[in-house]
Amino acid sequence: MAAQQGWVDEGFGAVADAFAGNFDDFPELGAATTVFVGGRKVVELWGGVADERSGRPWQQDTVVPVFSCAKGLVAVSVHLLAQQGLLDPDAPVARYWPEFARNGKESVTCRMVLGHRAGVPALDASLSFDEIAAWTPVVQAIEEQKPLWEPGSAYEYHGQVLGFLLGEVVRRITGYTPGAHFRRTVAEPLGLRAWIGASEAELAGRARLVEAEGRPAMPGPEHLLTRIVTMNGALAFPGLDQPHGWNDPALLAMELPGSGALASASGLAGLYAAAATGIDGAPRLLSESTVTDAVREVSSGPSWLGLDMGVRWGSGFLLDSPSFRPLLGARSFGNDGAGGQFAFGDDEFGVGFAYVANRMVGHGDDRANRLISALRSCVGAA
């Protein structure tokens, strides 16, 4: 196995110990973690293997599919538009997208979508992979979709639909699809290796995902959770190396804003550091009042399916969830990925954090939690 590499500032050795411990205690293959504090990078660690087939080692700038960490990119974009006065999170989606107001969705607000309360976690339409990649067929299917419950009255994870629904709002306001908008307004100006819809050059050298033995299987194809994740079977999951799986360049090249981001640890941590504090003396992306709005709890407890994993949702972000994903406190906001990846920011402690890996152990596994626990001791969080 490739040696672990990188550096940590004085006072952050506990994070390095936890990172090394993950390789000892889990079936870790390749991974990286980055931490910013006060807009300055204090942890940059990487190690292991990016591609198990060739033994190619993980590099400092290696990118990997990060699944639903993509939602953080979309949420930051949405909150930036709100901060600029171009979007009201509590306004009906139909204010920006009139055709959306069909079949009982007239009252759906952007905040309901951000909090997984819109009632459209999956689509009735069965779209092909090419139709999903074309964008417009998904938009049209969302327009025709009837909510599964009275919007706002319950919540269920809007795995793929959230990205397309909010992404179309972004497109209606800016003229750019969400991946293109994020790239031109955030990623490129800040030099972040984090994209929704990657170029051929950006795909080169990416880490290849593998599944750990014993990883829990998805329920059957008709189950709502499977339909949410796979868009009714058009996306292969977990079949990573099948056509339309998460190792397929065609999937990573298209805009799949709910789960199709490609990023390095430094790219994701840099995004949240920029949002919470600004980087290297630059102004923060999200103001204190914007973060206050984003971290106000919108959803928690049993979901519409009756599931309760202990998750708490704000507006587009996972919040400090002590029984599922303990973060630093009430000002923490982030998103995780199905492969165990996680990234968050916290403007109280001035933190931007990310952990990425290519061996999928299981949703909500403890690798990132261990790193965050170590970080908590380093920054003095209770």
Side-chain angles (χ1 to χ4, degrees):
M1 176 174 289
Q4 296 150 37
Q5 301 180 67
W7 52 270
V8 299
D9 271 11
E10 184 177 355
F12 291 88
V15 178
D17 292 341
F19 185 72
N22 279 349
F23 281 86
D24 294 333
D25 299 336
F26 291 89
E28 195 79 281
L29 179 60
T33 189
T34 302
V35 180
F36 287 79
V37 175
R40 186 175 62 84
K41 192 178 291 185
V42 298
V43 174
E44 182 84 304
L45 297 167
W46 66 93
V49 175
D51 190 332
E52 191 175 41
R53 299 169 301 180
S54 65
R56 174 168 52 86
W58 198 290
Q59 304 291 340
Q60 181 176 2
D61 62 353
T62 294
V63 295
V64 64
V66 293
F67 297 94
S68 286
C69 290
K71 293 179 177 65
L73 280 60
V74 174
V76 167
S77 296
V78 167
H79 285 288
L80 278 171
L81 291 173
Q83 190 169 276
Q84 295 160 6
L86 299 174
L87 183 152
D88 178 354
D90 295 306
V93 169
R95 173 183 294 182
Y96 313 102
W97 176 6
E99 299 89 341
F100 178 81
R102 298 175 184 167
N103 299 320
K105 303 191 300 299
E106 296 84 356
S107 66
V108 173
T109 65
C110 297
R111 195 175 312 274
M112 289 179 192
V113 185
L114 288 163
H116 302 271
R117 306 187 72 85
V120 288
L123 301 176
D124 293 334
S126 293
L127 303 173
S128 70
F129 181 85
D130 288 342
E131 286 175 322
I132 293 169
W135 188 270
T136 299
V138 182
V139 169
Q140 293 172 339
I142 292 173
E143 290 171 356
E144 298 304 320
Q145 182 67 38
K146 295 180 180 179
L148 296 185
W149 61 81
E150 179 64 28
S153 66
Y155 93 95
E156 186 58 71
Y157 189 58
H158 284 46
Q160 302 291 358
V161 173
L162 180 146
F164 282 105
L165 208 165
L166 292 173
E168 180 63 9
V169 172
V170 170
R171 192 187 72 82
R172 296 288 176 123
I173 293 172
T174 69
Y176 292 91
T177 52
H181 178 69
F182 178 82
R183 181 184 289 270
R184 66 188 294 271
T185 60
V186 179
E188 288 182 349
L190 294 175
L192 302 178
R193 289 176 62 78
W195 315 289
I196 299 171
S199 69
E200 184 176 350
E202 291 160 349
L203 288 169
R206 72 188 182 282
R208 177 179 172 271
L209 297 165
V210 300
E211 284 208 83
E213 292 183 5
R215 188 173 187 273
M218 293 288 293
E222 300 304 318
H223 195 285
L224 181 61
L225 289 181
T226 302
R227 293 176 53 219
I228 288 170
V229 171
T230 68
M231 295 197 77
N232 297 327
L235 310 175
F237 192 91
L240 300 174
D241 292 312
Q242 297 177 13
H244 311 155
W246 264 258
N247 281 327
D248 185 348
L251 184 146
L252 299 172
M254 77 182 193
E255 288 205 24
L256 189 65
S259 66
L262 193 72
S264 68
S266 186
L268 282 180
L271 169 64
Y272 282 97
T277 66
I279 298 175
D280 295 331
R284 58 190 287 181
L285 286 181
L286 302 183
S287 68
E288 181 179 0
S289 61
T290 297
V291 171
T292 297
D293 184 63
V295 300
R296 188 176 298 113
E297 184 181 293
V298 177
S299 299
S300 64
S303 71
W304 186 73
L305 283 172
L307 304 175
D308 187 358
M309 298 175 63
V311 178
R312 299 174 58 243
W313 293 102
S315 293
F317 297 109
L318 181 72
L319 306 181
D320 183 41
S321 303
S323 64
F324 173 73
R325 187 69 79 187
L327 302 179
L328 300 183
R331 303 287 295 185
S332 296
F333 58 100
N335 264 289
D336 64 353
Q341 305 89 352
F342 190 72
F344 78 97
D346 188 300
D347 65 352
E348 178 182 358
F349 293 96
V351 164
F353 166 93
Y355 161 78
V356 300
N358 60 344
R359 192 187 296 278
M360 300 175 64
V361 175
H363 184 65
D365 72 73
D366 206 37
R367 291 172 293 174
N369 287 349
R370 286 184 169 200
L371 294 166
I372 296 167
S373 178
L375 176 62
R376 191 179 299 115
S377 69
C378 297
V379 299

